[in-house]
Amino acid sequence: MRVLVAEDEEVLAELVATGLRRAGFAVDTVYGGDAALAYLGLYDYDVVVLDRDLPRVHGDEVARRLVAHGCRTRILMLTAASAMEDRVAGLDLGADDYLGKPFDFPELVSRVRALRRRSARPVPPLLERHGVRLDTVRRSAERDGRELDLSPKEFAVLQILLEADGATVSAEELLERAWDAHADPFTGAVRVCMSKLRAKLGAPALIRTVQGVGYGL
């Protein structure tokens, strides 16, 4: 799952991004509305956490443009203006959800996950294949009853492979969905992550490599 955090308070933006990454999301941060529009034009985000009072291009205008272009990215407005009239105005602009500051971080994570479910093909909370069982709500994984100690990135990659239901997933798609914009496609990040994931899954091997195509489970 990929999230854009657009927040002009840089410290808050990085705190939100760090927390979302720990929850298993790939996150990019920008500090102005112009940068938000640029990133949204370049990358396919599931959710944008959008501060309403952004500099250069106001958050309201960012929301308007996303809606006007039929963008599938869901909008969670995150703002200090939390009166009922402000919430109504934000939702009328096209926001899918509205959260006032200050906020409880677990609620933010929950709302982001809920918006992602609305933007994508419905996926059951429990994913299972070949003895691998992934609980996307509790963020736990096991193989044949053995608990797997996965990093957030390994969990995200395994979830993508399970959602593919046996189909091959390209390295490019894995980078797009599980890494942020700073990931260098030439570093072998996917290959390294896949090697660690294979080791944790154990024998017999479950992840197959299709040369020149990608990976499948």
Side-chain angles (χ1 to χ4, degrees):
M1 168 173 188
R2 195 159 185 179
V3 179
L4 178 65
V5 175
E7 165 62 61
D8 68 326
E9 296 179 38
E10 295 189 19
V11 173
L12 176 59
E14 294 307 323
L15 284 173
V16 170
T18 298
L20 289 173
R21 290 186 186 112
R22 287 174 179 165
F25 307 146
V27 186
D28 295 320
T29 53
V30 292
Y31 312 117
D34 53 345
L37 289 171
Y39 270 62
L40 288 160
L42 287 171
Y43 306 106
D44 186 20
Y45 291 99
D46 295 288
V47 177
V48 55
V49 178
L50 182 66
D51 180 35
R52 196 166 183 185
D53 294 317
L54 289 174
R56 294 181 289 282
V57 178
H58 197 273
D60 289 0
E61 180 60 23
V62 174
R64 285 192 194 97
R65 294 192 195 180
L66 284 178
V67 173
H69 285 89
C71 183
R72 77 170 191 91
T73 302
R74 299 295 183 178
I75 302 169
L76 171 58
M77 276 195 169
L78 187 65
T79 173
S82 56
M84 182 189 70
E85 294 82 3
D86 297 306
R87 293 197 302 272
V88 170
L91 294 169
D92 282 346
L93 284 167
D96 298 281
D97 200 357
Y98 197 105
L99 186 60
K101 302 175 188 176
F103 57 88
D104 292 322
F105 198 80
E107 182 180 4
L108 173 65
V109 172
S110 237
R111 286 174 181 257
V112 169
R113 283 196 179 125
L115 288 177
R116 190 266 179 178
R117 288 194 294 270
R118 289 165 54 185
S119 70
R121 175 176 61 86
V123 174
L126 291 175
L127 297 167
E128 296 185 70
R129 187 174 178 84
H130 299 312
V132 175
R133 180 183 174 95
L134 200 75
D135 188 325
T136 62
V137 176
R138 293 184 174 86
R139 308 290 295 172
S140 63
E142 60 181 50
R143 180 181 182 183
D144 298 327
R146 173 176 60 88
E147 186 176 350
L148 301 173
D149 182 18
L150 303 181
S151 70
K153 193 69 66 187
E154 291 159 358
F155 190 97
V157 168
L158 183 57
Q159 180 174 342
I160 293 168
L161 293 176
L162 284 167
E163 287 177 2
D165 198 24
T168 303
V169 182
S170 69
E172 292 77 14
E173 182 178 350
L174 288 168
L175 272 172
E176 175 69 23
R177 294 177 59 188
W179 275 263
D180 60 30
H182 300 291
D184 185 341
F186 301 106
T187 60
V190 173
R191 178 176 49 80
V192 171
C193 181
M194 205 62 71
S195 176
K196 292 178 179 178
L197 183 55
R198 281 187 170 114
K200 290 183 179 182
L201 285 170
L206 286 179
I207 299 174
R208 70 184 189 279
T209 300
V210 182
Q211 291 298 329
V213 180
Y215 304 90
L217 190 67

